[in-house]
Amino acid sequence: MLGLVILLVVVAVASVIGTVLKQNEPYTNYVIKFGPFWFEVFRKLGLYDVYGAPWFLAILGFLVLSTGVCLWRHVPGMLAEINHFRLTVQAKSLRAFHSHAEWTLAADPATVAAQAAGALRAQGYRVRSSTHEDGHTVLAALRGSLNRFGYLFTHLAIVVICVGGLLDGNLPLKWKEWRGDIRLETRDVVARDVPPESRLAPGDNFSFRGNVRLPEDSSANFVFLRLRDGFFVQELPFAIELKQFRVEFYPTGQPKNFESDVLIHDADRLKAPLASTIKVNHPLVYRGYAIYQSDFGDGGSLMRMTAQPLLGQSAAPPKLEGRIGEKLSLDTPQGPLTLELDDFRLYNILPVPQSEQQAATDAVGEPGRKVRNFGPNFTYRLRNAAGQALEFQNFMQPFRLDGRSFFLSGVRGTPSEEFSYLHIPADAQGTPGRFLRFTALLHDRARVQAVLARAGTTAPGMSAAELAAVRLRLVDLFLKQGIDGVIEQTRQRVPAERAEEATRFFLEVLRMSLGELYVELLRGEGLAADAEPGPADEQFFNDALNALSAIPNYGAPFWLQLDGFEQVQASGLQITKAGGQNVVYLGFALLTAGVFVMFYTSHRRVWVWLAPEDGGTRLILAGSGNRHQEARSEERRVGKECL
């Protein structure tokens, strides 16, 4: 019994884990969440698919077997016990009962027997009597026989619930996988490219929970069943078409409500397709399949982009078009790259920087926690020929930070890292035009050389030509390695005792050289020859230098600017078929009935032993029950009736 209780506790704890920890997610999600060490520990324990883990199914199977054997061995005797009155009981045995009493009465045995039988029946007992050869009479009474069914129901409930758990734990699916009839698909391929051995026909799987994401005006007759590090394609006996998807947001950016208008196309329906609206917590149940509204995302929005060069490409910036989910091949001066468009978000509700909260008139939220919609953004990956990729996140509209505007472009090497953002300053027109022109100027070596030579700057101990060459090398080094590269090169080439002085000198020369090039840019924009840049121009120059210094670590030869888009939304649907659901419901009904019967009914027995003695009657009254106090109470009531 102790072992059974321990196993039930293990099953209960595992069920809690399976409820709290989202099951059958891609393994990369668990690695990001728990880290490599704990990911491996939890994987070996089977916590990512608790209800399908071998140890969990083994426990359920053992509970079914052991409890079933227990029922098979004890139920026949239990049922026979219900109608067994035990009329052969002896006086010595009754006196040994914990609850017993004994009297000598003046009435004859027949009268006492009639009174005792009447008193017992009045209390709801079933009474049987037997007169033996030596002249004594035994009355046996039973009450609360239904209590025995409580034990039967509770044990049977364990069997039924475990059988339902085995059915919903994909046991048939795992059996086919163990036999080699089906194979888990681990490649990143679309549904149409999944081979037959990784597909499941509608009748092949008794119970499943799968997901599919449908763009508007598209349909699907399958779902993806994620399992461990791969998936199966589960085919459906009908097709789901998404006509329209709608979503509403709270001011904080959290989804308020989202719903899908769908059509169910079924060859077995002779009438028109079934039209329905699926909402959160309001699923559509069709032919035993429950269709839930689970999430939403992009359904293949069209992106119109410009690849703005950051490393001095002379050709006009190429215009690109592609849909989310597509891959584009690009030829760049740094080699071929593959552009993988991952996701697009129309709304980005983010906290407003503290310094901007007073000026943010469109911000909402509680005091000290303002949020605002910062507009559309999209994420993509750039993958080189070796297969290495960087992930980028670009915003379409400029951000307002510390009173200035910036276009933000985030980059990271792995999903577990935070984005590191490149801040591209916006000009007075709110565009990146000035920064891009300045970048192009700095990479035009002939023009840079001409501007620096024309400036006529001098330095002690250096000729004009030598200084111009140093300035040109500093600009080249800055463009390739940033400020950190200039400092590092100086420390490597100059003795340690002069490194600090030399670093300060070269940084001043570099800033002066870049400033002259920046003024050249402003002259081209219309700044008068005798005019000096204003404070706003100087601030832009400082922001541009910060961005230029970060470009060597940006990891891409261009900044992908989002020019326009055509959004296509997609609805995430979860479709479940719980073949064991009704079995589990039956088990819980049996468990509830069994517990109720055991707690609110009491199985009690009362014996009245009568024998003639000295012209009267010797009466022995004894009782037993699963609640001893109730047995003694019944004994007293019957005794009073007889007396």
Side-chain angles (χ1 to χ4, degrees), residues 12 21 80 89 104 124 174 294 319 354 359 571:
L21 179 62
V89 64
T104 300
K174 285 178 170 50
S294 61
K319 299 288 185 179
Q354 196 71 26
S571 173

Side-chain angles (χ1 to χ4, degrees), residues 374-626:
F374 284 86
N377 79 348
F378 72 113
T379 57
Y380 60 92
R381 286 184 175 86
L382 286 178
R383 193 176 302 275
N384 60 22
Q388 298 174 327
L390 292 175
E391 184 181 7
F392 296 83
Q393 182 185 68
N394 291 1
F395 287 83
M396 184 178 185
Q397 300 171 0
F399 276 48
R400 190 78 176 169
L401 301 172
D402 297 327
R404 290 113 63 199
S405 295
F406 298 88
F407 290 91
L408 297 189
S409 177
V411 59
R412 62 183 180 185
T414 64
S416 61
E417 300 175 8
E418 295 290 336
F419 281 105
S420 176
Y421 284 94
L422 174 67
H423 292 67
I424 298 176
D427 54 28
Q429 290 73 40
T431 72
R434 175 180 285 186
F435 175 79
L436 296 173
R437 290 192 296 272
F438 187 35
T439 302
L441 171 60
L442 295 179
H443 285 86
D444 188 345
R445 204 167 191 276
R447 191 176 174 189
V448 169
Q449 190 171 10
V451 172
L452 296 181
R454 189 171 67 242
T457 305
T458 61
M462 299 178 67
S463 66
E466 290 175 337
L467 181 59
V470 169
R471 298 172 70 191
L472 185 60
R473 287 198 299 270
L474 285 173
V475 172
D476 289 341
L477 183 59
F478 171 74
L479 294 177
K480 293 178 181 178
Q481 300 183 23
I483 292 291
D484 293 338
V486 174
I487 296 174
E488 183 65 25
Q489 286 286 335
T490 303
R491 291 178 176 175
Q492 290 179 2
R493 295 173 179 269
V494 178
E497 63 273 10
R498 297 180 53 197
E500 184 176 352
E501 179 184 356
T503 299
R504 188 162 51 249
F505 169 75
F506 284 127
L507 290 180
E508 289 177 357
V509 172
L510 174 63
R511 183 177 177 83
M512 180 177 59
S513 303
L514 294 173
E516 292 170 1
L517 293 166
Y518 180 62
V519 171
E520 177 72 12
L521 175 70
L522 296 182
R523 302 292 186 212
E525 292 180 357
L527 181 68
D530 57 348
E532 294 293 330
D537 294 328
E538 293 180 1
Q539 183 63 66
F540 185 93
F541 174 67
N542 292 329
D543 293 336
L545 292 190
N546 290 332
L548 288 166
S549 183
I551 285 178
N553 297 320
Y554 183 60
F558 54 82
W559 166 54
L560 206 55
Q561 182 181 10
L562 181 60
D563 300 323
F565 58 87
E566 294 178 10
Q567 187 186 23
V568 178
Q569 298 191 98
S571 173
L573 301 177
Q574 184 179 86
I575 303 177
T576 66
K577 181 182 179 184
Q581 175 179 289
N582 293 332
V583 177
V584 174
Y585 286 165
L586 174 61
F588 277 107
L590 289 172
L591 181 62
T592 302
V595 172
F596 181 85
V597 168
M598 284 194 299
F599 272 93
Y600 293 99
T601 64
S602 175
H603 182 258
R604 285 165 283 181
R605 290 178 177 272
V606 175
W607 288 271
V608 180
W609 189 91
L610 304 170
E613 184 179 281
D614 299 331
T617 302
R618 167 64 61 179
L619 183 147
I620 302 175
L621 182 64
S624 68
N626 52 359

Side-chain angles (χ1 to χ4, degrees), residues 89-204:
V89 64
Q90 301 294 317
K92 181 173 64 173
S93 300
L94 295 179
R95 291 190 178 100
F97 274 56
H98 177 75
S99 299
H100 77 280
E102 189 171 347
W103 297 276
T104 300
L105 305 178
D108 61 276
T111 302
V112 175
Q115 291 176 346
L120 289 170
R121 290 191 177 96
Q123 297 298 325
Y125 283 88
R126 293 182 295 152
V127 182
R128 298 289 187 273
S129 65
S130 175
T131 301
H132 297 264
E133 294 179 357
D134 60 358
H136 78 272
T137 300
V138 175
L139 274 69
L142 282 175
R143 180 182 174 183
S145 297
L146 188 62
N147 178 267
R148 297 301 187 191
F149 284 95
Y151 293 97
L152 172 62
F153 289 164
T154 51
H155 285 76
L156 185 60
I158 295 175
V159 175
V160 173
I161 292 174
C162 290
V163 169
L166 289 172
L167 294 175
D168 278 349
N170 287 330
L171 184 59
L173 180 67
K174 285 178 170 50
W175 175 249
K176 292 181 180 180
E177 188 180 6
W178 291 335
R179 289 177 51 191
D181 296 339
I182 56 178
R183 180 178 59 83
L184 197 66
E185 178 59 73
T186 57
R187 298 173 300 165
D188 184 15
V189 295
V190 296
R192 63 174 176 269
D193 296 332
V194 175
E197 58 267 24
S198 298
R199 291 180 174 272
L200 305 173
D204 289 349

